[in-house]
Amino acid sequence: MSEQMERSLISICKAAKSDKLVRLNYSISRINSNHKNIALNLVCNNQSVIEFAESHGAYKTAGKLSSKLGATSITDIAKAPKYSVNFDG
């Protein structure tokens, strides 16, 4: 993963932790992604982005990401790329 992409993903983790929906939406739009893709594939400090937000009391951002998951579907997780970032903050 490029350094720029890693910085962008870290900014999404920080936005999820901040509990500010505007900041989350902006961070996701900067990498031309969507909430569902982020909710399914981003791991922040070894937790899903939703669990990460909830563990920091950021229930608005966690709820927004959870709501984008929609109905249950079957996904081949072996094929889906996972991005994991760790940061101090």
Side-chain angles (χ1 to χ4, degrees), residues 66-84:
S66 293
S67 72
K68 296 301 180 178
L69 295 179
T72 305
S73 64
I74 298 173
T75 304
D76 184 358
I77 59 170
K79 284 186 162 184
K82 293 281 185 187
Y83 298 107
S84 179

Side-chain angles (χ1 to χ4, degrees), residues 1 5-7 9-11 13-14 42-48 52 83-89:
M1 155 179 12
M5 178 58 86
E6 184 174 5
R7 280 194 304 262
L9 295 174
I10 288 172
S11 74
C13 291
K14 288 180 179 181
L42 181 59
V43 176
C44 303
N45 291 353
N46 297 319
Q47 295 178 308
S48 74
F52 180 74
Y83 298 107
S84 179
V85 294
N86 290 305
F87 66 96
D88 297 321

Side-chain angles (χ1 to χ4, degrees), residues 14-69:
K14 288 180 179 181
K17 179 182 173 182
S18 76
D19 207 23
K20 294 183 170 116
L21 293 175
V22 172
R23 187 173 170 193
L24 178 69
N25 294 338
Y26 176 75
S27 296
I28 292 173
S29 69
R30 284 190 63 203
I31 63 167
N32 296 321
S33 190
N34 59 56
H35 291 79
K36 183 176 182 178
N37 188 32
I38 294 300
L40 289 172
N41 297 306
L42 181 59
V43 176
C44 303
N45 291 353
N46 297 319
Q47 295 178 308
S48 74
V49 68
I50 295 169
E51 291 171 344
F52 180 74
E54 288 175 342
S55 71
H56 288 89
Y59 298 109
K60 286 189 282 187
T61 52
K64 173 77 170 186
L65 291 167
S66 293
S67 72
K68 296 301 180 178
L69 295 179

